Amino acid sequence: MNRRDFIKTGAISIASLQLGDIISLIPTAQADELKNISNFQTLNTLAKNIKGIEKIPSVCLNCSSVCGMNVLVKDGEILGVAGNPNDPNAQGKLCAKAHGGVSAVNNPERIVYPLKRVGKRGEGLWKRITMEEAYDTIAQKIKKNLDAGTPEQVVFHQGRNKMGDITGRFMDAIGSPVILNHRGLCSSNKRAANYTTIGDTSWETLDASECKYLLNFGSNFFETHQGGLPLLKRFVEGKRKGLKLVTFDTRLSNTAGRSDEWFAPFPSSEGIIALAMANVIIEKKLYDKKFIDEWCNISLDEIIAFVKPYTPKYASEVSGLSEEDIRRVAIEFASVAPACAAFTNRGSQAHQNGLNNDRSVIILNALVGSIGKKGGYAFGGSKSKSHKSFPMPSPIPPKPKFTTDLEDPRLYPLSNKWQKMRVSHLAFDKLKNSGQKIDVYMSYTISAPQTWPEGPTMTVDVLKDESIVPFHACSDVVYSEMAHYADIILPDATYFERYTIEGRNAYELIPYFALRQPAVEPPYDCENFADTLIKVGQRLGSDVSQYFAFDSYEEFIKLRFSTLPKREGLSGFEYMKKYGVWVEDKEKNYESYDKILSKKQLEGSFVKDDIIYIKKKDKDKAIGIMKDSIARKGLKTPSRKFEIYSSTIENTAKSLGIKDDGMPHFEMPKSLKEIKEDELVLTTFKWNVHTQARTTPQKYLTEIVHDNPVWINTATAKKLNIQNGDAMEITSYRPKSGFRASNNDEIVGTMVVQAYVTEGIHPQVIAISNSLGMNFGGRIAKGTNGKKDNIPAFIKEDDLELDGNIWWDKKYGGAGNGYNPNHIIPINPAPLVGMQAWNDTICKIRKV
């Protein structure tokens, strides 16, 4: 049956789909006319249902901040969410994403049965199968590779995966190292900067409530910074005490707009601004000599020599900011030390020079001695309680002793230096052009065709090609851009219906962790993907199944919590189910590097060049540093000090034949340095109600933001005779340095989008938000009214609002569902780390 004949004959919803029946998951039906308001569903309000509500502690997962929440449930139905006051991070506060996420549970276009592709991949025709058939099919495919001795040809690709304990266990059990994630698109330059300066492998934890001055380089913590809501809450507390916020961002974000001062520097110039501020701090003798002498790995004289060329005048020429402002802000910042902090995010790190940009900003904290101090750039003990605190059930599968270039790219060795930071935006290019062979590709809640650079082009081409990806099993909640190119779709449980051990940077500087637990049961055949992997693992023979001797992921979590001490007479699991959060009984952990090591910690240790080690089988492990003849913890860097000079970077660069002296020099990316008068820099950003492709099918969030015109400066628009709302064509080009570089103005892509003319952006920059412009995901994501026919549903009733009340539907004069800019954004990994340089894209524009 071809698709045209199938549509002519009509179809049934998945709710009544029988085994073997075929259904199209591409919406085609349109509403004939707008429905009268009286026909809309009548929903019971929360106020009418207060009596008898059960509060189930859990954790939000609509972004990476993972705020604790109480899910409000009555008669098996989720009525809403409220903040969990036991969560030490969010402290009972939630944002719009948390509230909007509830709509994912009862989304009428949610996948609720396992589906198997019929016809060509990408054609959109499916038949319903059983979960048993899905398990068997996936197991048989994997078993072929295990029998052939090629486990590395089984690939797992994850989005916001918070179940690494079971997904990693599964991949270790089958012997494949090829786990791909999305971190190279998100935060790897920032993490690498922290790793090479303070030895931390995450982002900073600002003690904002006690801070007096915040220097913000490219973070939008009012909306989308990791840990944004906990930081925002403490910022408000600090603001009441007189905290000043200065933001450097090319665009007037919500954070910039609510700052005491906003500066719009030229893109990628953040590093030279920070180094010029360091120059001023040195010149005015506002540095903390004691901290530098005791805890920095180079001397004050060496620092002075390093920053000497980076004058405010030089920084002004590069950034466009005034010398006077650079000097004044540097002096204001240092004058209130140590209760001050300079920090970063996407605006500074999503460049080819992002690693050194962020290192330069972090160094400001060391110069003024705010590292680890009250009100400063705090860290250490600020982590969530480690997964090592909950031992994995035995036996534990051994980790593969080899890697492949797919998950461990040799050209970007820092991406995997301390933990797997895969440059997976290169994966599809490698699969297409390098001859890297795979047989089984499993994807989990990731929408690479939508969210990857060149995703709508390169990624789609690879996923459609069965000679490159022979078998693709996708687990997702909705019929996503990824699911459309799968061979089997597994109906995932939402985060309201499953378990996970959670935790993030502890903004109270006391280790904690949280439990995500089911508030309701997943409907129909929907299943936590962790449970799916357990059942597949049990079908792979004793060599693999021995590691899955438990019936469910819930049992696995219970086993991990079994070592927790009892509280209130409750086991660890029972306590967590009751309260949702476990907080360590400790004081705030300031200056963790200066802590004296105990006798127990020093057992079996030895000292070499003042570094304290303990012997390990494979490699001696540094645990501290001798300071004034006292054993102290130190920082987790090779020198156990704050590292302005990084031997890690120098040696990593040397392994690639790159000359780098390990200092955070400023160098403008070639494309931006040689930008022409008629060229602009294309940048991207997120709104506070969206998280890549995860949130777009959630109706209340997309109702708030469903359109994304391109921001363009008033003066720039005037030159091109572009007015607000005009259509403008954007043409983008390959970068002039780095991956697939071109000096010949090689075009990446072209798109036409409406203009939003504003003074709130740098004149040489245009900006567009991501997360929108989806081709799949249902009527909300597509901005298209219509009946439920031919669309998967797990209830007989439709959401009547989706048949006439999607008021942004273009058919009724609305703005539509926005634009996806990623087909014109080139794959552009930064040196050493591989972070995608989102904000280095050169383009030209013209009025259409």
Side-chain angles (χ1 to χ4, degrees), residues 486-500:
D487 301 305
I488 283 183
I489 303 175
L490 300 162
D492 192 27
T494 68
Y495 62 84
F496 290 93
E497 300 159 345
R498 61 180 174 87
Y499 286 99
T500 321

Side-chain angles (χ1 to χ4, degrees), residues 455-655:
T457 49
M458 168 73 73
T459 300
V460 168
D461 288 346
V462 171
L463 290 177
K464 286 175 67 175
D465 192 332
E466 296 180 49
S467 68
I468 299 176
V469 182
F471 176 75
H472 176 192
C474 172
S475 175
D476 215 329
V477 175
V478 298
Y479 188 58
S480 63
E481 314 280 320
M482 202 74 165
H484 181 65
Y485 300 104
D487 301 305
I488 283 183
I489 303 175
L490 300 162
D492 192 27
T494 68
Y495 62 84
F496 290 93
E497 300 159 345
R498 61 180 174 87
Y499 286 99
T500 321
I501 299 175
E502 269 292 9
R504 279 302 190 198
N505 290 37
Y507 276 83
E508 287 302 292
L509 307 182
I510 302 171
Y512 86 106
F513 68 94
L515 175 68
R516 179 177 296 110
Q517 63 177 315
V520 293
E521 290 297 317
Y524 298 83
D525 285 350
C526 292
E527 180 177 75
N528 185 354
F529 184 60
D531 287 305
T532 300
L533 286 182
I534 290 169
K535 291 167 185 174
V536 171
Q538 290 170 344
R539 286 164 164 75
L540 289 173
S542 59
D543 286 348
V544 175
S545 64
Q546 62 176 316
Y547 303 115
F548 299 96
F550 32 83
D551 293 332
S552 66
Y553 190 56
E554 178 180 5
E555 184 182 345
F556 180 79
I557 294 290
K558 286 181 182 178
L559 289 169
R560 295 197 65 193
F561 280 164
S562 63
T563 57
L564 289 175
K566 283 192 173 185
R567 281 187 176 179
E568 299 183 5
L570 301 172
S571 69
F573 186 69
E574 291 168 337
Y575 181 89
M576 292 302 296
K577 283 182 70 69
K578 181 177 180 179
Y579 294 103
V581 180
W582 184 292
V583 183
E584 291 287 271
D585 186 16
K586 294 182 178 180
E587 296 294 322
K588 282 193 173 184
N589 194 10
Y590 293 119
E591 298 181 69
S592 61
Y593 50 85
D594 205 29
K595 303 295 183 190
I596 298 174
L597 297 177
S598 67
K599 288 184 177 180
K600 185 176 180 180
Q601 290 172 312
L602 290 170
E603 286 179 2
S605 66
F606 66 96
V607 178
K608 182 180 179 181
D609 298 329
D610 285 337
I611 307 298
I612 306 167
Y613 298 91
I614 56 173
K615 285 199 170 293
K616 292 287 185 179
K617 288 182 180 179
D618 51 348
K619 185 179 180 181
D620 293 335
K621 179 182 178 182
I623 63 166
I625 184 172
M626 296 301 298
K627 181 172 172 284
D628 299 328
S629 302
I630 298 173
R632 299 183 185 271
K633 183 179 178 181
L635 291 92
K636 293 183 180 179
T637 58
S639 66
R640 304 301 290 189
K641 293 184 176 183
F642 184 96
E643 297 204 340
I644 296 175
Y645 156 75
S646 173
S647 60
T648 300
I649 289 179
E650 182 177 24
N651 294 333
T652 302
K654 188 182 296 183
S655 71

Side-chain angles (χ1 to χ4, degrees), residues 245-531:
L245 172 64
V246 177
T247 292
F248 298 86
D249 199 320
T250 57
R251 182 182 68 89
L252 186 64
S253 67
N254 272 334
T255 304
R258 286 160 177 78
S259 299
D260 294 281
E261 292 189 73
W262 167 56
F263 297 100
F266 185 75
S268 82
S269 66
E270 293 83 1
I272 196 170
I273 296 168
L275 291 175
M277 287 184 175
N279 183 303
V280 173
I281 291 169
I282 294 288
E283 175 194 336
K284 298 296 182 180
K285 298 189 181 332
L286 294 172
Y287 48 82
D288 185 332
K289 188 174 187 303
K290 185 174 187 294
F291 182 86
I292 293 171
D293 289 344
E294 294 183 358
W295 286 110
C296 286
N297 74 330
I298 62 173
S299 69
L300 177 59
D301 288 341
E302 289 172 307
I303 296 172
I304 292 172
F306 170 63
V307 301
K308 186 176 181 180
Y310 297 106
T311 63
K313 183 177 186 298
Y314 181 20
S316 174
E317 293 169 354
V318 175
S319 68
L321 307 186
S322 74
E323 291 183 56
E324 292 75 17
D325 283 331
I326 293 171
R327 288 183 175 277
R328 175 180 56 81
V329 171
I331 293 169
E332 288 178 358
F333 171 77
S335 297
V336 298
C340 57
F343 67 107
T344 67
N345 210 328
R346 188 73 64 89
S348 60
Q349 60 137 344
H351 299 284
Q352 284 197 348
N353 64 352
L355 171 59
N356 279 348
N357 278 347
D358 280 26
R359 289 174 68 201
S360 300
V361 172
I362 298 170
I363 285 170
L364 292 174
N365 299 286
L367 288 184
V368 299
S370 72
I371 298 291
K373 299 290 180 64
K374 184 177 180 179
Y377 196 86
F379 76 102
S382 62
K383 297 293 184 190
S384 60
K385 194 172 174 65
S386 170
H387 274 256
K388 294 178 182 177
S389 304
F390 323 116
M392 296 290 182
S394 296
I396 300 173
K399 291 193 173 295
K401 297 185 182 301
F402 65 97
T403 63
T404 75
D405 194 53
L406 195 57
E407 92 289 346
D408 188 12
R410 311 304 190 231
L411 288 178
Y412 304 96
L414 264 185
S415 65
N416 283 1
K417 183 71 176 179
W418 61 97
Q419 53 178 278
K420 293 292 186 181
M421 308 284 281
R422 296 93 178 170
V423 189
S424 65
H425 41 298
L426 280 178
F428 297 104
D429 181 85
K430 286 179 178 293
L431 289 172
K432 184 175 182 178
N433 297 316
S434 72
Q436 186 97 30
K437 181 174 172 53
I438 67 171
D439 292 313
V440 178
Y441 177 79
M442 294 181 289
S443 64
Y444 174 59
T445 59
I446 192 165
S447 193
Q450 170 75 14
T451 58
W452 253 234
E454 300 186 52
T457 49
M458 168 73 73
T459 300
V460 168
D461 288 346
V462 171
L463 290 177
K464 286 175 67 175
D465 192 332
E466 296 180 49
S467 68
I468 299 176
V469 182
F471 176 75
H472 176 192
C474 172
S475 175
D476 215 329
V477 175
V478 298
Y479 188 58
S480 63
E481 314 280 320
M482 202 74 165
H484 181 65
Y485 300 104
D487 301 305
I488 283 183
I489 303 175
L490 300 162
D492 192 27
T494 68
Y495 62 84
F496 290 93
E497 300 159 345
R498 61 180 174 87
Y499 286 99
T500 321
I501 299 175
E502 269 292 9
R504 279 302 190 198
N505 290 37
Y507 276 83
E508 287 302 292
L509 307 182
I510 302 171
Y512 86 106
F513 68 94
L515 175 68
R516 179 177 296 110
Q517 63 177 315
V520 293
E521 290 297 317
Y524 298 83
D525 285 350
C526 292
E527 180 177 75
N528 185 354
F529 184 60
D531 287 305

